[in-house]
Amino acid sequence: MRILKIQTLRGPNYWSIRRHKLIVMRLDLETLGETPSNEIPGFYEGLVEALPSLEGHYCSPGCRGGFLMRVKEGTMIGHIVEHVALELQELAGMHVGFGRTRETATRGIYQVVIEYLNEEAGRYAGRAAVRLCQSIVDRGRYPKAELEQDIQDLKDFTRDASLGPSTEAIVKEAEKRGIPWMSLEARFLIQLGYGVNQKRMQATMTDNTSILGVELACDKEATKRILAAAGAPVPKGTVINFLDDLEQALELVGGYPIVIKPLDGNHGRGITIDIRTWEEAEAGYEAARQVSRSIIVERYYVGRDHRVLVVNGKVVAVAERVPAHVIGNARSTIAELIEETNLDPNRGEGHDNVLTKIELDRTSYQLLERQGYTLNSVPAKGTICYLRATANLSTGGSAVDRTDEIHPENLWLAQRVVKIIGLDIAGLDIVTTDIGRPLREVDGVIVEVNAAPGFRMHVAPSVGIPRNVAGAVMDMLFPNEQSSQIPILSITGTNGKTTTTRLLAHIYKQTGKVVGYTTTDGTYIGDYLVESGDNTGPQSAHVILQDPTVEVAVLETARGGILRSGLGFEAANVGVVLNVASDHLGIGDIDTIEQLANLKSVVAEAVFPDGYAVLNADDHRVAAMSEKTKANIAYFTMNPNSELVRKHIQKGGVAAVYENGYLSIVKGDWTHRIERAENIPLTMGGRAPFMIANALAASLAAFVQNVTIEQIRAGLKTFRASVSQTPGRMNLFNLGNYHALVDYAHNAASYEAVGSFVRNWTTGQRIGVIGGPGDRRDEDFVTLGKLAAQIFDYIIIKEDDDTRGRLRGSAAQLIIQGITQVKPDSRYESILDETQAINKGLDMAPDNSLVVILPESVTRAIKLIKLRGLAKEETHQQNPGTNVIDSQNGITPSSVVNTLL
């Protein structure tokens, strides 16, 4: 077997709208392509020996052991790889269950789809599954050591990519509330929500967290002085910078017992408590010095360690932290008890699990000695042997929930202290013998105030009730159910996507909101280009959704991005599907127009239930998508007598209809006429039907988002098919004696759309400079030739600079084949170089003719035309009666176009 390609999907996709995290592996079975599993000697036995847990896979039989039944009876290896990849992740602790296996149009090559939780682990599981199956085919077995290594590697991937317990709790709460989130590229930042409504977090610090509060909390001595001045109970202590100052510090705090800790440490690093001798004090100083230059010396207060979590000025959780310890059983040594305790599956490395594995350090041996033990001691049954003096969970400690036990005065004090420090989220370390009594009564003290406190002890205490502290954070960031979203409008279709996207963004600008939009020619925010290029995939969508100034996102969504990565968002408010026509077939294993329709339908399906799928009622494949989406439906149609739309309106639905020369919104018994088509520049005086359809779709998408008719009308009347607003989309240039039209038509449907306009050109010759992308099928080029023969009087066939792997000249020959099949006496010539072909077309244009250029590079074509315009401008100055290209933008003024038409 051979893996041809592995892709990672991260959003709604071709395979599943609900399950976003999928690995798609293109697998060539090679010699196994015709061999089912029951014909491979020993395969079933080897598979069961390696992974007996596959017994739990139901598969199509729908019962336990169903998948293994399929293997025994005979199924293809691609299907088996799918199940093995899922099971390997399960064995590594990642619970996944979704998978699909489909043979492609190329016999023996399969698409294997598996769910993942961690990207790296998912890709690894796919590769490991292929290795395992190939090993069983070749040798009848998969070595146990290799399987164990695979599982360990998968666990390592998961651990390395872990968000950490605190961030994980926040993310899960966000998902529960339907708040989208994404990881940003720097400093472990998490974004919650989109655009102008987003919030950002780093661990448990928010974008509202005061930098002054953080700085103060990180300076433990300054914190203590501020709190002492406010009358809060804090430990008596001082700061030293040299060992020589230690003795004086001892006298200042009143002698032993004392605590020595670094001034700016965290997670219990470098802290030594309950110091009772000079030797211990010296050792404690050296340990703290490893973490910080300045050292805190404090009086040691007897009591239990508590963490009080305050969010948005309110105490939301209290936990008692118990230092790492083991409990004797009268049989095992302390070393054996530690080893046994660390086998608890809830314990892991660092902050990965609910608890952390116990590891010993210098203070552990001192503490053991003080208790009269060594590692070889065997404690009596029930005897608690402490291994750490500090109670941090990161050093193996555990937590007991005490939220319901805190005294009201202590609760008030904690909230006041956090206000004084100036933090929105803080964790107070309080030492007291009884959290249920006021600190002043039991000599309790506030030891520290921590910025970015960990949530692990509260969301998963060892004993007691888990507290939803992340919920309090969400309530603070998004109070009163404040929206975390911005309107997202996603546009797809075979043709018209870019024009409709730009028009819809322009309409939305009439509302005064900041619009971010993505197109095939760039990513824009407001009136400014952020990044040029074909930006119609999820990465470009993220640029818009991550921008804190964007109030509305209008996203062109092309097939390639959906196939490669899925959508760049979880759901849209409006999903627009313009049309589905034959294009890009045979690429990405989308081989039929029905498959292409299923792919495009992702945009209609990935819409909120209270949102709208805006569908073309005149395209039966698009109209059928209404059955697949849970969103509301809105249709647009060029046919005022559409039976589908009539029934839809009778049921209370909304539609955009082209009727009696008007673009109108129809709902129930009323009709809102927006504007006559001939007054909308984009429609070329109402003579470009496909542009009218695009305008209907954009108007309807805006209307269902509560944009007013007046705003829609203003947008339609001020948007032009110009280089500045729609480069490469029906750009018409007046070159004096003749005109040139530039359009990025590159498939049969777009050729027909351009042809519907060109046929209305009744003066002079209609010259076409045509071609198509090299990765299209042979029959597609033949079709383009047939269409060109029906549209143009003279045809110049050129090829793209990038032939996309096709032999130069072969695409042109196929187009010529199509031309001659329809019209054997057609006038044509082949000039493969695009620049030469364009220049030839412009050079030969007779008076009153139209040169239609369908280029690979729109920028190059427009540049060549503008050069012609500047050359004509000199003649214009000598002969004012000659119309020339507009000197500012190179576009025929609308008045000239209207007169022409």
Side-chain angles (χ1 to χ4, degrees):
M1 287 180 285
R2 183 162 57 99
I3 299 173
L4 302 178
K5 182 193 293 186
I6 293 180
Q7 292 176 301
T8 305
L9 307 183
R10 303 177 183 88
N13 57 76
Y14 180 68
W15 301 95
S16 175
I17 298 299
R18 187 170 62 89
R19 298 177 188 269
H20 302 169
K21 296 182 175 183
L22 299 177
I23 298 295
V24 181
M25 181 166 59
R26 199 165 194 264
L27 182 64
D28 186 350
L29 298 187
E30 295 185 327
T31 58
L32 296 171
E34 303 291 335
T35 309
S37 55
N38 62 329
E39 296 181 11
I40 302 173
F43 186 86
Y44 173 82
E45 292 77 12
L47 184 64
V48 172
E49 179 186 353
L51 291 172
S53 52
L54 286 171
E55 176 71 21
H57 289 219
Y58 282 39
C59 201
S60 55
C63 61
R64 183 175 175 82
F67 168 66
L68 289 180
M69 289 169 53
R70 291 283 308 278
V71 176
K72 197 167 190 177
E73 294 167 358
T75 188
M76 300 310 294
I77 294 296
H79 179 213
I80 297 171
V81 166
E82 169 204 326
H83 281 265
V84 170
L86 293 172
E87 185 59 24
L88 289 174
Q89 292 181 84
E90 282 282 344
L91 293 174
M94 293 169 280
H95 302 303
V96 292
F98 180 87
R100 292 286 185 272
T101 301
R102 299 288 183 270
E103 189 172 18
T104 68
T106 305
R107 194 160 183 80
I109 295 180
Y110 285 75
Q111 285 185 307
V112 180
V113 181
I114 58 169
E115 188 179 7
Y116 69 85
L117 295 182
N118 170 265
E119 289 186 18
E120 290 293 332
R123 288 192 286 266
Y124 182 97
R127 294 191 296 267
V130 171
R131 287 199 306 272
L132 184 147
C133 290
Q134 188 69 61
S135 176
I136 295 174
V137 169
D138 294 341
R139 297 181 285 174
R141 56 187 291 273
Y142 189 59
K144 184 178 180 181
E146 292 185 30
L147 178 61
E148 290 175 347
Q149 185 62 55
D150 287 338
I151 295 171
Q152 185 57 52
D153 288 345
L154 288 169
K155 289 180 178 179
D156 291 344
F157 280 127
T158 304
R159 185 189 68 246
D160 294 344
S162 173
L163 294 172
S166 299
T167 305
E168 192 71 39
I170 291 165
V171 163
K172 286 182 178 178
E173 182 64 21
E175 291 175 343
K176 188 170 76 174
R177 297 183 181 213
I179 297 173
W181 69 275
M182 61 181 79
S183 296
L184 302 182
E185 294 295 329
R187 301 187 67 81
F188 305 103
L189 288 170
I190 296 291
Q191 177 179 314
L192 301 167
Y194 290 146
V196 72
N197 291 326
Q198 69 176 272
K199 302 293 181 181
R200 291 178 181 175
M201 296 196 69
Q202 183 189 63
T204 58
M205 288 190 295
T206 76
D207 47 13
N208 295 327
T209 300
S210 164
I211 184 64
L212 294 178
V214 173
E215 290 290 330
L216 184 56
C218 289
D219 187 335
K220 302 181 192 306
E221 184 61 19
T223 297
K224 194 165 62 175
R225 289 200 302 270
I226 289 284
L227 295 182
V234 294
K236 187 176 183 181
T238 187
V239 176
I240 63 174
N241 292 298
F242 303 100
L243 183 60
D244 293 345
D245 299 331
L246 182 57
E247 190 170 355
Q248 184 178 354
L250 267 170
E251 295 176 3
L252 182 66
V253 301
Y256 299 116
I258 61 170
V259 175
I260 297 180
K261 57 186 178 181
L263 178 66
D264 49 8
N266 55 26
H267 298 302
R269 288 190 289 266
I271 298 178
T272 308
I273 70 172
D274 197 12
I275 295 172
R276 298 176 181 271
T277 67
W278 178 254
E279 290 75 16
E280 290 177 358
E282 284 187 312
Y285 176 89
E286 292 301 328
R289 189 73 176 186
Q290 298 299 314
V291 179
S292 173
R293 294 186 60 183
S294 298
I295 310 299
I296 295 177
V297 180
E298 289 179 342
R299 180 164 183 77
Y300 175 67
Y301 290 81
V302 177
R304 300 197 298 273
D305 188 312
H306 297 79
R307 168 61 63 85
V308 180
L309 182 64
V310 179
V311 177
N312 199 28
K314 301 292 182 182
V315 170
V316 297
V318 180
E320 178 187 341
R321 299 187 296 181
V322 181
H325 64 278
V326 292
I327 300 175
N329 59 13
R331 298 189 312 275
S332 305
T333 65
I334 290 175
E336 291 168 340
L337 290 170
I338 293 171
E339 184 176 350
E340 182 180 336
T341 300
N342 283 340
L343 292 176
D344 182 349
N346 287 324
R347 290 189 181 270
E349 306 292 337
H351 295 276
D352 293 338
N353 284 32
V354 175
L355 298 170
T356 300
K357 289 184 177 181
I358 297 172
E359 294 183 0
L360 305 183
D361 69 354
R362 172 190 55 82
T363 63
S364 303
Y365 294 103
Q366 291 176 349
L367 190 57
L368 282 172
E369 184 180 354
R370 188 175 296 171
Q371 296 172 87
Y373 296 125
T374 68
L375 287 177
N376 294 321
S377 300
V378 180
K381 187 174 183 179
T383 300
I384 297 177
C385 174
Y386 288 99
L387 302 167
R388 289 276 189 164
T390 57
N392 297 76
L393 266 65
S394 58
T395 58
S398 54
V400 179
D401 179 67
R402 303 289 187 194
T403 304
D404 296 331
E405 301 174 24
I406 187 171
H407 191 277
E409 183 177 314
N410 293 342
L411 186 146
W412 165 80
L413 178 61
Q415 292 173 171
R416 175 173 176 255
V417 162
V418 172
K419 270 289 195 199
I420 291 169
I421 299 303
L423 291 170
D424 57 344
I425 302 175
L428 281 71
D429 290 341
I430 295 177
V431 174
T432 178
T433 55
D434 186 357
I435 197 68
R437 294 176 61 189
L439 297 188
R440 57 184 173 79
E441 291 183 2
V442 292
D443 197 25
V445 290
I446 299 171
V447 177
E448 289 181 10
V449 179
N450 297 278
F455 287 177
R456 180 165 56 150
M457 68 191 76
H458 305 299
V459 298
S462 309
V463 178
I465 301 171
R467 303 291 174 171
N468 183 19
V469 296
V473 175
M474 292 296 112
D475 290 340
M476 176 184 69
L477 295 177
F478 303 101
N480 303 317
E481 298 184 354
Q482 174 185 311
S483 177
S484 63
Q485 306 264 7
I486 59 173
I488 297 175
L489 299 92
S490 177
I491 299 93
T492 196
T494 302
N495 296 304
K497 296 186 295 296
T498 298
T499 298
T500 306
T501 298
R502 282 181 164 272
L503 174 57
L504 181 53
H506 183 73
I507 291 172
Y508 240 114
K509 287 178 185 178
Q510 312 309 307
T511 67
K513 294 183 177 180
V514 176
V515 182
Y517 58 102
T518 61
T519 70
T520 53
D521 53 79
T523 300
Y524 298 81
I525 295 176
D527 297 325
Y528 299 99
L529 174 67
V530 175
E531 183 180 15
S532 61
D534 187 349
N535 298 338
T536 56
Q539 186 175 356
S540 302
H542 286 172
V543 172
I544 297 300
L545 298 175
Q546 289 175 8
D547 192 283
T549 68
V550 171
E551 297 174 278
V552 179
V554 181
L555 307 174
E556 180 178 345
T557 307
R559 63 178 293 286
I562 302 175
L563 276 177
R564 286 190 301 271
S565 301
L567 298 181
F569 48 87
E570 295 182 13
N573 300 86
V574 178
V576 181
V577 186
L578 298 171
N579 43 62
V580 177
S582 178
D583 192 22
H584 295 92
L585 297 184
I587 301 172
D589 292 315
I590 301 298
D591 301 301
T592 68
I593 196 166
E594 287 73 23
Q595 290 175 329
L596 183 61
N598 287 334
L599 177 64
K600 300 283 186 185
S601 74
V602 171
V603 168
E605 294 178 68
V607 176
F608 291 112
D610 61 350
Y612 277 86
V614 174
L615 305 177
N616 185 349
D618 303 335
D619 186 320
H620 71 276
R621 293 185 180 88
V622 175
M625 296 175 189
S626 63
E627 302 297 324
K628 302 175 72 173
T629 181
K630 295 179 180 179
N632 298 300
I633 302 299
Y635 289 113
F636 65 94
T637 178
M638 294 288 290
N639 177 14
N641 300 313
S642 168
E643 183 67 15
L644 173 64
V645 173
R646 185 184 66 81
K647 291 180 179 179
H648 176 68
I649 292 171
Q650 286 178 347
K651 294 178 182 178
V654 62
V657 181
Y658 181 54
E659 48 85 26
N660 297 314
Y662 281 90
L663 279 73
S664 301
I665 300 292
V666 182
K667 184 175 174 66
D669 295 331
W670 51 258
T671 299
H672 277 310
R673 282 185 164 174
I674 305 172
E675 186 56 79
R676 291 190 66 86
E678 63 186 21
N679 296 331
I680 299 172
L682 180 67
T683 70
M684 316 293 272
R687 290 169 172 81
F690 61 98
M691 286 299 194
I692 298 175
N694 291 340
L696 285 171
S699 300
L700 183 56
F703 181 79
V704 297
Q705 279 295 106
N706 300 316
V707 179
T708 68
I709 294 293
E710 292 73 19
Q711 291 166 336
I712 295 171
R713 181 183 298 117
L716 291 175
K717 294 184 74 172
T718 55
F719 186 84
R720 288 172 167 77
S722 64
V723 174
S724 61
Q725 290 189 313
T726 57
R729 272 73 185 176
M730 294 299 290
N731 303 148
L732 185 63
F733 298 87
N734 185 335
L735 293 172
N737 297 329
Y738 65 96
H739 288 74
L741 178 73
V742 176
D743 191 272
Y744 187 59
H746 57 279
N747 56 52
S750 57
Y751 267 50
E752 289 174 344
V754 171
S756 67
F757 171 78
V758 174
R759 290 186 184 98
N760 288 322
W761 196 278
T762 57
T763 62
Q765 279 195 343
R766 295 172 294 189
I767 301 169
V769 181
I770 70 165
D775 57 359
R776 302 309 193 263
R777 301 171 303 174
D778 289 357
E779 56 263 41
D780 295 331
F781 288 105
V782 173
T783 300
L784 296 184
K786 291 178 179 179
L787 291 170
Q790 296 167 358
I791 297 170
F792 301 111
D793 302 316
Y794 192 90
I795 305 167
I796 301 172
I797 304 101
K798 52 86 183 177
E799 288 190 346
D800 292 355
D801 296 344
D802 179 6
T803 62
R804 305 190 186 188
R806 182 178 286 273
L807 184 66
R808 181 159 294 282
S810 62
Q813 285 301 317
L814 291 166
I815 291 175
I816 292 171
Q817 180 182 326
I819 294 171
T820 55
Q821 284 180 12
V822 171
K823 194 181 291 185
D825 59 346
S826 289
R827 298 168 62 213
Y828 66 86
E829 63 179 299
S830 176
I831 302 176
L832 299 185
D833 180 81
E834 182 166 284
T835 298
Q836 293 179 21
I838 292 171
N839 283 328
K840 176 62 184 292
L842 297 173
D843 287 341
M844 68 177 290
D847 289 353
N848 300 318
S849 63
L850 175 67
V851 180
V852 179
I853 302 167
L854 310 180
E856 174 193 25
S857 172
V858 170
T859 303
R860 174 171 55 197
I862 292 173
K863 182 178 180 181
L864 291 171
I865 292 172
K866 285 187 174 183
L867 290 173
R868 300 279 174 146
L870 293 174
K872 293 283 188 178
E873 192 167 311
E874 293 181 4
T875 304
H876 171 67
Q877 291 171 350
Q878 296 169 358
N879 181 5
T882 304
N883 288 322
V884 298
I885 194 165
D886 181 81
S887 61
Q888 290 186 340
N889 56 23
I891 304 160
T892 305
S894 59
S895 58
V896 177
V897 176
N898 289 336
T899 301
L900 168 71
L901 296 173

